[in-house]
């Protein structure tokens, strides 16, 4: 196909461009949108290029996922999927099936992701893993990536069980213990490194396979750009190598991990941008706390189901402020993971301090997740020009146990995307994949209904926080592009912008809400070139 020069017409185009919200046709030339508007006018202006009849299909801008982890997603796609396992026994059943299917060598590490104990009859412990795998090391990462679950073989192969029994938890982490003080095998946040640092790292070939799997997965789901939330220099080099080999059907706005060599490099040498427009490293990623499910999120008051526990701040306030200041002075955007209301407040304090001390304007500072925000802190995001980089699917995944963690009196501050938007924060939607599926349709459904894909609960969970479909589509396209200072290039179907566009099987702005999860991606285009298509979409 002459992908650099063609017209698509007879389409239902939701442009996310306020100057022309809907259209029926557009022209692509040289990888950019040249003309967008009514079918006859666009077609008549380009009589000598291929014209493609979209058959009335719905077209939207390429989705921008404002928070995901591409390498982790790729590895998760190649590890045991524990999502939805209802008990430790169910986890073991899935692990046995995975071992049988993949024919793992006898003592190879068994890795898995996605367990969530909040509805289990018993807390996770080493016992069921030891019974099933007495010699094979097993390491399973929780759904939020903020806790890991090891068997005894894994502990002996890394930190050592006796040492773990005697040691205190590292700062910013927790070692779960039973009533007798013995480690259960569950390690939270910074304590995860006691195992992970000694697991044999994946080979370069395995890393390549994982990244290829992740970007193919993104294209199949209509995602043309990913904000990768925490990368190292080797990962940046891998992105560049794939791009230069012409095998990278995705854009990456990469956040340099704040405790890695990537952060030091961009602070010293400035942002890294690839001429292709497919890689931009202009921001830093810090962590203020852990996750709510594992009680690592830092709260202003005790957990309702764990009196005396207010979660974990990953760094002393002075250390966080120093890192933020260094990033600001280096001209970087600052993005900080903060889930609990105490962590969000600490991040806002750090941002305000950095702005005051440096005198430099903050470059659209972001709070990643912002799941629990004290009502009095919401206006501070607007005053700072901050972006709330949120993942609506977390609300519908977590709603079954959030009340247990927070109690009823704090639920009005939980996952309150509409309230944050009304207070002046910019919304940018993402998935947090592999924590949640990388699936923009699921994200849109969660945002506009506050329900699971199968429609629970009736009427939605805290429905006052639902947002309109128009606002949700914007947050997952132009809003996410804005979060990376890329709104002039991406996020809407408008003349002059890069031709990233997606064809959907039905109109997400019109179908009944219960039918929204049935929407499929028929085709995905990046720079005007097709990077994914089903048999139902014509070959341009």
């Amino acid at each position: 196909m002459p992908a650099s020069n063609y017209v698509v017409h007879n389409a239902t185009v939701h442009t996310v461009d306020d100057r022309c919200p809907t259209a029926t046709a557009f022209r692509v030339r040289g990888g950019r949108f040249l003309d967008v508007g009514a079918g006859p006018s666009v077609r008549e202006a380009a009589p000598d290029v291929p014209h493609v009849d979209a058959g009335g299909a719905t077209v939207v801008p390429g989705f921008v996922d404002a928070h995901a982890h591409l390498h982790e997603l790729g590895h998760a796609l190649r590890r045991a999927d524990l999502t939805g396992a209802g008990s430790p026994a169910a986890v073991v059943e899935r692990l046995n099936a995975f071992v049988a299917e993949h024919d793992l060598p006898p003592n190879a590490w068994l890795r898995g992701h996605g367990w969530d104990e909040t509805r289990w009859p018993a807390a996770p412990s080493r016992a069921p893993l030891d019974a099933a795998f007495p010699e094979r090391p097993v390491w399973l990462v929780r759904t939020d990536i903020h806790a890991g679950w090891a068997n005894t073989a894994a502990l002996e192969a890394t930190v050592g069980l006796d040492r773990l029994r005697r040691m205190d938890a590292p700062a910013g982490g927790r070692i779960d213990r039973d009533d007798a003080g013995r480690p259960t095998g569950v390690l939270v946040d910074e304590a995860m490194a006691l195992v992970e640092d000694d697991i044999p790292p994946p080979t370069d070939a395995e890393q390549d396979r994982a990244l290829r799997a992740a970007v193919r997965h993104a294209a199949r789901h209509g995602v043309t750009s990913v904000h990768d939330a925490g990368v190292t220099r080797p990962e940046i080099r891998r992105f560049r190598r794939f791009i230069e080999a012409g095998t990278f059907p995705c854009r990456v706005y990469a956040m340099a991990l704040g405790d890695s060599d990537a952060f030091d490099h961009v602070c010293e040498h400035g942002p890294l941008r690839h001429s292709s427009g497919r890689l931009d490293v202009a921001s830093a990623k810090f962590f203020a706390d852990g996750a709510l499910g594992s009680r690592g999120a830092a709260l202003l008051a005790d957990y309702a189901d764990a009196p005396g526990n207010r979660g974990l701040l990953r760094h002393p306030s002075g250390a966080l402020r120093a890192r933020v200041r260094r990033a600001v002075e280096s001209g970087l955007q600052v993005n900080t993971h903060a889930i609990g209301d105490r962590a969000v407040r600490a991040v806002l304090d750090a941002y305000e301090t950095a702005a005051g001390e440096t005198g430099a304007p903050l470059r659209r500072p972001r709070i990643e997740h912002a799941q629990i925000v004290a009502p009095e802190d919401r206006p501070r995001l607007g005053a700072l020009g901050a972006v709330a980089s949120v993942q609506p699917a977390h609300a519908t995944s977590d709603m079954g146990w959030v009340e247990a963690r927070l109690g009823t009196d704090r639920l009005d501050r939980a996952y309150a995307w509409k309230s944050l938007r009304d207070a002046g924060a910019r919304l940018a939607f993402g998935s947090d994949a592999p924590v949640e599926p990388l699936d923009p349709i699921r994200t849109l459904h969660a945002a506009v209904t506050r329900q699971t894909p199968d429609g629970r609960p009736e009427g939605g969970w805290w429905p006052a926080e639902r947002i309109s479909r128009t606002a949700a589509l914007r947050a997952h396209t132009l809003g996410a592009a804005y979060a990376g200072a890329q709104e002039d290039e991406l996020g809407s179907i408008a003349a002059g912008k890069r031709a990233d566009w997606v064809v959907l099987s039905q109109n997400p702005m019109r179908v009944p809400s219960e039918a929204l999860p049935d929407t499929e991606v028929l085709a995905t285009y990046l720079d005007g070139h097709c990077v994914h298509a089903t048999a139902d979409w014509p070959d341009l």
Side-chain angles (χ1 to χ4, degrees):
M1 136 184 154
S4 62
N5 198 356
Y6 56 86
V7 167
V8 175
H9 65 97
N10 190 21
T12 301
V13 185
H14 295 285
T15 66
V16 195
D17 179 3
D18 291 339
R19 297 165 298 181
C20 176
T22 59
T24 60
F26 56 88
R27 182 181 175 186
V28 171
R29 188 174 71 183
R32 293 182 179 268
F33 295 113
L34 181 66
D35 191 10
V36 181
S41 63
V42 175
R43 297 182 70 186
E44 290 168 7
D48 299 326
V49 303
H51 288 202
V52 180
D53 188 336
T58 297
V59 174
V60 298
F63 290 106
V64 180
D65 191 311
H67 187 112
H69 307 272
L70 277 174
H71 284 84
E72 289 88 341
L73 171 62
H75 288 302
L77 291 169
R78 302 173 61 83
R79 292 174 181 162
D81 182 6
L82 308 178
T83 305
S87 66
V91 167
V92 169
E93 183 178 352
R94 293 199 191 183
L95 294 175
N96 278 321
F98 183 86
V99 170
E101 180 181 353
H102 292 81
D103 193 26
L104 293 186
N107 294 318
W109 278 77
L110 175 54
R111 307 285 296 273
H113 170 264
W115 60 272
D116 180 356
E117 81 292 1
T118 52
R119 297 182 182 179
W120 290 1
S125 73
R126 287 179 285 133
L129 300 182
D130 288 350
F133 307 101
E135 298 181 0
R136 181 190 300 279
V138 179
W139 178 243
L140 312 175
V141 176
R142 194 179 186 278
T143 182
D144 56 19
I145 321 184
H146 285 271
W149 176 16
N151 68 346
T152 299
L155 296 178
E156 292 288 18
T158 54
V159 60
L161 183 57
D162 287 342
R163 179 179 171 226
L164 186 67
R165 185 181 293 116
R166 295 191 305 269
M167 71 186 301
D168 294 331
R174 187 175 76 241
I175 301 169
D176 279 2
R177 304 177 190 274
D178 62 21
D179 293 341
R182 295 171 298 214
T184 65
V186 174
L187 305 174
V188 178
D189 286 321
E190 297 298 323
M192 295 170 68
L194 297 172
V195 169
E196 289 186 328
D197 284 356
D198 288 326
I199 296 176
T203 65
D204 284 344
E206 289 169 336
Q207 294 277 29
D208 285 355
R209 284 195 294 270
L211 184 56
R212 276 194 291 269
V215 294
R216 285 197 300 264
H217 186 81
R220 286 196 297 271
H221 288 84
V223 174
T224 54
S225 180
V226 172
H227 295 192
D228 200 320
V231 301
T232 62
R233 287 192 73 188
E235 290 169 340
I236 294 170
R237 286 193 288 267
R238 183 168 291 103
F239 291 144
R240 292 178 64 97
R241 178 160 53 82
F242 273 49
I243 292 168
E244 288 162 8
T247 57
F248 198 67
C250 190
R251 304 188 194 284
V252 174
Y253 183 79
M255 309 176 197
L257 196 59
D259 58 357
S260 76
D261 55 354
F263 176 59
D264 293 333
H265 185 81
V266 292
C267 283
E268 294 170 10
H269 301 284
L272 306 173
R273 293 186 172 93
H274 197 275
S275 59
S276 66
R278 298 197 182 185
L279 178 63
D280 192 345
V281 190
S283 66
K285 165 74 179 297
F286 304 122
F287 286 87
D289 65 348
L292 192 66
S294 52
R295 299 186 186 86
L299 301 180
L300 292 169
D302 292 358
Y303 279 85
D305 56 357
N309 181 9
R310 295 190 177 186
L312 302 165
L313 285 174
R314 300 281 288 269
H315 306 286
S317 60
L320 177 62
R321 292 180 184 185
R323 290 185 177 191
V324 169
R325 175 169 179 159
R326 184 184 180 198
V328 172
E329 290 176 335
S330 300
L332 302 177
Q333 182 188 41
V334 183
N335 315 310
T336 308
H337 165 118
I339 287 180
D341 48 12
R342 181 160 59 109
V344 171
R345 183 167 293 176
V347 171
L348 291 171
D349 290 345
Y351 288 173
E352 290 171 349
T353 299
E357 290 179 348
T358 64
L362 300 182
R363 293 186 60 245
R364 301 179 185 178
R366 294 167 53 158
I367 296 184
E368 306 297 317
H369 309 304
Q371 289 180 4
I372 319 296
V373 183
E376 59 269 30
D377 285 332
R378 291 172 186 162
R380 298 175 67 190
L381 276 78
L384 278 169
V387 174
S389 173
V390 300
Q391 302 78 42
H394 281 323
T396 53
S397 293
D398 299 354
M399 63 186 179
W401 49 261
V402 170
E403 185 171 356
R405 296 286 187 273
L406 300 179
T408 56
D409 59 329
R410 286 181 285 182
L411 287 180
D412 63 345
R413 62 182 64 187
Y415 310 86
W417 319 140
K418 183 175 183 297
S419 293
L420 289 175
R421 180 172 176 263
D422 291 347
R426 296 276 193 146
L427 288 187
F429 281 176
S431 64
D432 202 12
V435 176
E436 299 284 353
L438 191 147
D439 184 349
I441 300 301
R442 175 173 173 149
T443 297
L444 297 180
H445 180 263
V448 304
T449 68
R450 306 279 289 191
Q451 293 176 317
T452 59
D454 60 359
R456 294 179 292 109
E458 185 175 354
W461 182 70
W462 284 85
E465 292 295 340
R466 292 180 300 199
I467 67 173
S468 71
R469 298 187 193 208
T470 298
L473 179 62
R474 178 177 292 267
H476 219 333
T477 53
L478 191 61
Y482 175 90
Q486 296 175 319
E487 73 275 13
D488 292 338
E489 289 280 286
L490 312 174
S492 61
I493 296 175
K497 288 195 174 185
R498 292 186 178 273
D500 298 352
W501 54 283
V502 173
V503 186
L504 302 177
S505 64
Q506 57 182 0
N507 189 339
M509 312 303 285
R510 295 287 181 265
V511 298
S513 60
E514 61 270 20
L516 187 55
D518 298 328
T519 308
E520 297 179 358
V521 174
L522 300 182
T524 303
Y525 285 77
L526 183 72
D527 283 329
H529 292 267
C530 184
V531 294
H532 162 73
T534 68
D536 295 327
W537 178 247
D539 183 1
L540 299 189

